[in-house]
Amino acid sequence: MTSDVRSDQAEGAAIDHLQRVPVVAVICGLVLLAVLVCVVAGGWLAPQDPSAQNPLLSAMAPGHGHLLGTDELGRDVLSRLLSGARSSVVGPLVVAAGCLLIGATLGMAGAYFGGVVDTAVNRLADMVYALPALLIAIVVLGVVGGGYWITVAVLLLLSLPYEIRLCRSAAMVEVRLPYVDAARTIGISAWRIIFRHVLPNILPTVVATFLLDFVGALVGFAALSYLGLGVPPSSPSWGTTLAEGQSLITQNPWLSIAPAVLIIVTASSATLLGDWGHELLAHAGTQR
């Protein structure tokens, strides 16, 4: 009886803890929802044509119908940030999704099959992990002349080791449990066991890693765009806008501040939401 009471108290304390977290989670979710709305409809929400130039309003501070001022060519900064959300966010989302599909599959396969498969997966992860990621990205993109989808491919390859290692570590715990042996005994195929039984039990790690991969790719895209490698210089991405504002910091500081704030807030929201999601899913798993 006493043990049941203690168990109920512990479960109640865990639930109360999770109920306090959603305040932050809701805020982060709303921020990411707003970013996704800009990704989908940023061009429609832009108050002005983001590519329209007006040399008479070059590098103007906020005012005269321009909430965040203008850039060197007289283009509306707010409109460029809204329309640039698509190029700034879609690439990182593709990188994170690719890491999820490829990295999680390789990590779980290595943990389940072991032997040669596990060795090959580990050597692949170690080889890519040993490369200086930013330097390799700069060299490759500099040689091929940059390009949006080439940047996606490079960041995807360089981000794989983290997904592989984390998913493999989580899956290693699961494949040693009795339910996996029982599934093998009754003749369930290996891949069915991996995706129908092991994957749901490592879902907290998968979700958190997906969002962390997105954050890493978002910052990587912004850094490469800042250097003029991620997207064409004329593209209104957050990284290129930040680079353009560097030389105009005294005339219109919002040209640099606004994209920097967007990158930081988006990355922080995804990180905090990933932490909460991991905690929530892990707690739900312990209750099953």
Side-chain angles (χ1 to χ4, degrees), residues 184-243:
R184 288 196 195 101
T185 302
I186 62 177
I188 298 178
S189 66
W191 290 108
R192 184 178 176 84
I193 294 174
I194 289 173
F195 287 110
R196 293 293 300 273
H197 300 282
V198 175
L199 179 59
N201 287 295
I202 66 169
L203 200 58
T205 299
V206 171
V207 170
T209 307
F210 171 82
L211 289 172
L212 290 177
D213 287 335
F214 167 73
V215 170
L218 177 71
V219 175
F221 251 93
L224 293 171
S225 299
Y226 180 86
L227 296 174
L229 297 172
V231 296
S234 60
S235 174
S237 72
W238 296 345
T240 55
T241 304
L242 182 60

Side-chain angles (χ1 to χ4, degrees), residues 37-205:
V37 169
C38 292
V39 170
V40 175
W44 298 334
L45 296 174
Q48 301 185 29
D49 184 353
S51 60
Q53 302 179 14
N54 188 349
L56 297 178
L57 300 177
S58 175
M60 188 186 69
H64 303 284
H66 300 278
L67 188 61
L68 296 178
T70 61
D71 63 5
E72 188 175 15
L73 299 176
R75 297 172 297 192
D76 184 64
V77 174
L78 177 60
S79 299
R80 289 182 65 77
L81 292 175
L82 290 173
S83 62
R86 178 173 300 177
S87 60
S88 302
V89 174
V90 169
L93 281 175
V94 173
V95 170
C99 286
L100 175 65
L101 294 175
I102 301 172
T105 300
L106 290 177
M108 291 188 297
Y112 183 87
F113 294 109
V116 176
V117 175
D118 192 31
T119 301
V121 169
N122 277 319
R123 295 296 78 79
L124 172 63
D126 292 342
M127 180 182 68
V128 178
Y129 188 79
L131 299 174
L134 183 58
L135 178 60
I136 292 297
I138 292 174
V139 170
V140 172
L141 294 173
V143 169
V144 301
Y148 191 81
W149 294 109
I150 295 177
T151 305
V152 170
V154 171
L155 290 178
L156 172 58
L157 176 63
L158 296 174
S159 302
L160 275 178
Y162 307 98
E163 185 83 31
I164 290 174
R165 286 184 168 187
L166 289 172
C167 289
R168 177 185 175 275
S169 298
M172 285 292 288
V173 177
E174 296 296 324
V175 299
R176 293 187 174 94
L177 296 180
Y179 78 88
V180 174
D181 291 332
R184 288 196 195 101
T185 302
I186 62 177
I188 298 178
S189 66
W191 290 108
R192 184 178 176 84
I193 294 174
I194 289 173
F195 287 110
R196 293 293 300 273
H197 300 282
V198 175
L199 179 59
N201 287 295
I202 66 169
L203 200 58
T205 299

Side-chain angles (χ1 to χ4, degrees), residues 13-32:
I15 293 174
D16 290 340
H17 173 68
L18 289 174
Q19 287 176 341
R20 290 195 298 269
V21 178
V23 175
V24 176
V26 167
I27 295 174
C28 294
L30 290 175
V31 169
L32 294 180

